Amino acid sequence: MSLISLVGAGKDFGLRTLFEGFDLHIAAGDRLGLIGPNGAGKSTLMRILAGVEPLGSGQRRCVPRTRIVLVDQEPQLDPGRTVLEQVFSASGEKMELLRRFTAVSEALALAHREGHDDSQLLAELGALNGRMDQSQAWGLEQQIREVLQRLGIADIHKPVGDLSGGYRKRVALAAALVADPEVLLLDEPTNHLDADGVQWLQDYLQRFAGALVLITHDRYVLDQVTRRLVEVDRGEARTHEGNYATYLGRKAEAEADAAASEAKLKGVLRRELEWLRRGPKARSTKQKARIQRIEALQQAPKRQQRGELALASERRRLGKQVIEAEELAIWAETDRPLLRNFSYAFNPEDRVGIIGPNGSGKSSLLDLIAGRRELQQGSLVLGSTVRLAYFDQHSHTVLAETDPAGRERRLIDVVSEAAQQVKLGGSTLSASQLLERFLFPPAQQHQPVARLSGGERRRLHLCRLLIEAPNVLLLDEPTNDLDVQTLSVLEDFLEDFQGCVVIVSHDRYFLDRTVDRLFSFENGELKRFEGNYSDYLETRTYTREEPRPRPAAPSQCKPRSEQPRRRSYKESRELERLESELPAWEARRRELEQRLSAAASDYASIETLSQELAELSARIERGEDRWLELSELPA
C-alpha cells in the first residue's frame, strides 16, 4: 500500500515547468533518490511530498495519520529551545509514551497510598509497557545521546537561535532520526557532516525501517542507500528502478540508443527532402502522402537537449614557489589550539585534500592561506606568481545582496563586475556567453540572483572565480549544494587544471577523484598521508583492526633503554584506586540514566542530569583508558 501518492502531478513557476502529468507512489520501506540539475525542482518535489508545498495540477494522496518528517535545506526550528529540547520535542510517540507511563505510574502510586481501586491503572500500565517495548521507547535517551554524538553535536544546552546554519541543519537531522517516522524526507543531509558522520548516516539509513526519500550529492550514499531514482530534468520527472550505479549504466545505453535513433531519423529525413527538392512532376495520392510524411518528420517534437556545462579558465603561469608554511599555529576563540607546528611547501602540481572532524580547523587553515585570518604564529609566504581563488562556503550567499544603489543584483551584473570580456582557448567571450557556458541561458541572465537555488548560486560563484584565471584554487566543501552533473564536470576540470589545488571536503567520492595527498587533522596536528581518501580509509582500518607487526630486534638482548619499564609504587596505588572507583562511577551512571528517562517533560531536570551524565561518562572513559595503561605495566 502506498503511504504517499502523486497522481497526474504538475508544478510550474510562471514560464518554467518543473514537471507535469507525473505519477509517483511511495510505499513502506521504499528507498527513493531524487536526482537532477540544480534548479530542476528536486527540493520542490520533496516539499510537495511532505505536504508543505501545493501542487499546480494533479493530486497528492496520503494515508491518514502517516508520520512524515522533512529535513529541508534551511530547516525551521524553535530558536527559544535548547538543542536537547529541540531533539526531545521531535521524539513523537516515544516521548508521549514515556510521559504517559510516568503519569500512570504516579497515579498508581497515589491509588495505592489512598487505597483506591487500581485495576484500570494496572491494565493501562501493562499496555503501555508492551507498547514501549515494541517501540523501544525505553532506550530513547540513549538513542538521542548516540545520534547527537555521531552527528558531532556537543553543545546540547545551547539555544537553537544562537547556532550557525550548518549546526541547525545537524540538529534538525538528529531530531528527524530520533523521531523515527514512517516517511523520512532528507534534502542534502550530508552537508555540514564530516566524513565519519557521513559514513555513520549511511549505515543508519541502510537500517532505517521506514520509507526514505533522499536528495544528496554524495554519490556513495546515493548508490548504497537508494533502490529507485526519480530524475527531475527539463520539465519532466522520470522514474528509474535500481540504485545510482544501475541508473548510470542504463542512462549510457539510453543515450547511445537515442543518438542512433536520431541519426537514423536524420538520414530518412535527408533522403526524403532530397526527393522533394527534385520536384516530382506527378501529384498522385501516394506522392501527396509522402509529402505529408516529410512534413510530419520535420514537425515531430524533439526532446529539449540539456546544455553541457563547460568549466574553463585561462591558464596563468605559476612559478616554483607557491605556498610555503613554516611552523604555523592556529588557536580558536577559546584559546584552544586547532593547529600546531605545521610546515609544508605546496608545489605547482599539488592536489591536496584536508580532512578532519567538524570544528578541527580545516576552514580556518584555508582562511589563513587566503589572507582572511590573521597569522598568529609561524610564517606563511605566497609566491609572486600566485593568483589565488577561494571557493568558500559562504560567498555565494553574498551574490544575492543588493548592489551599491540598492537594486537587486542580476546574474549578468555579478559576472560583468569581474570582467566584461574573458579570453578562453583563443576566443573572446562576453559576460553573457560565459554565463551560457555555465548553463545560465540568456532568458535567465537578467533575473535577480535571489531567485536562484542554492546550487545555482554556488555555480554562479564558481563562474565568477574562474573569470579571474587563478592558478591556485582553495575549495572549502565545494560539493555542498552542487548537483551530481556539475560535480562530475568540476572533477574533470580539476584533473586538467594547470595549478595547485587544496580541497577541504567530506565527500569521499570527490576526494577519491581529485586528490593524491591528504592532511588529516588529529589532535591539533596535520598528519600527512600519500593517496586518496579510500586509500587513507583502508590504511586506517587496517591499522586499527590488524596492527602491522613491528620489525624484530636485531638481537635477543635489548639495550637498557628498550627494556619495558615497571609500574611505580604511586602508579600501583592509582591502579588500586581506579579498580574501586570505576564500579561506583558505573553505578552512578546507571542511576542517572534511569532518572533521565523518568524526567519526561521536566526540561530543567533533563538539562541538569544530562550535563552530569556527560561529565561522568567522560570521567569513566578517561579512567578506563588509564586503568588499561597501568594494568599493562609489569608490577
Side-chain angles (χ1 to χ4, degrees), residues 200-233:
W200 176 84
L201 178 64
Q202 176 182 305
D203 296 339
Y204 189 100
L205 295 179
Q206 287 177 313
R207 300 190 306 269
F208 178 63
L212 172 68
V213 182
L214 176 68
I215 297 173
T216 181
H217 62 264
D218 191 306
R219 285 152 287 184
Y220 282 146
V221 172
L222 192 63
D223 191 55
Q224 293 295 317
V225 172
T226 63
R227 295 194 290 267
R228 186 160 54 112
L229 297 175
V230 170
E231 183 180 16
V232 184
D233 188 14

Side-chain angles (χ1 to χ4, degrees), residues 452-512:
L452 298 179
S453 69
E456 287 175 313
R457 290 188 200 180
R458 295 273 283 175
R459 188 170 2 117
L460 180 63
H461 181 206
L462 189 58
C463 173
R464 168 71 180 262
L465 287 179
L466 295 184
I467 289 174
E468 300 169 3
N471 50 25
V472 175
L473 284 177
L474 305 182
L475 307 177
D476 191 1
E477 298 293 2
T479 65
N480 283 358
D481 298 323
L482 291 182
D483 58 66
V484 171
Q485 293 92 331
T486 302
L487 287 179
S488 180
V489 175
L490 177 58
E491 288 160 357
D492 293 339
F493 169 79
L494 294 177
E495 186 174 341
D496 297 330
F497 179 72
Q498 300 295 309
C500 175
V501 181
V502 184
I503 301 170
V504 167
S505 181
H506 63 267
D507 190 312
R508 301 159 294 173
Y509 189 97
F510 188 79
L511 289 173
D512 281 348

Side-chain angles (χ1 to χ4, degrees), residues 18-19 22 32-43 45-46 186-188 213-219 221-223 226 228-234 236-249 251 303 306 482-485:
L18 299 182
F19 50 86
F22 178 53
L32 183 67
L34 302 185
I35 59 175
N38 291 129
K42 302 186 297 294
S43 295
L45 178 56
M46 183 79 87
L186 301 179
D187 194 346
E188 295 290 4
V213 182
L214 176 68
I215 297 173
T216 181
H217 62 264
D218 191 306
R219 285 152 287 184
V221 172
L222 192 63
D223 191 55
T226 63
R228 186 160 54 112
L229 297 175
V230 170
E231 183 180 16
V232 184
D233 188 14
R234 289 168 282 175
E236 294 182 310
R238 297 176 299 280
T239 301
H240 306 270
E241 295 297 329
N243 63 5
Y244 185 63
T246 304
Y247 158 79
L248 288 179
K251 186 177 179 66
R303 186 160 178 254
R306 181 168 63 86
L482 291 182
D483 58 66
V484 171
Q485 293 92 331

Side-chain angles (χ1 to χ4, degrees), residues 588-602:
R588 177 57 179 167
R589 178 158 67 178
R590 289 192 294 272
E591 178 189 347
L592 288 174
E593 289 173 346
Q594 292 172 357
R595 290 177 60 188
L596 192 59
S597 297
S601 60
D602 186 356

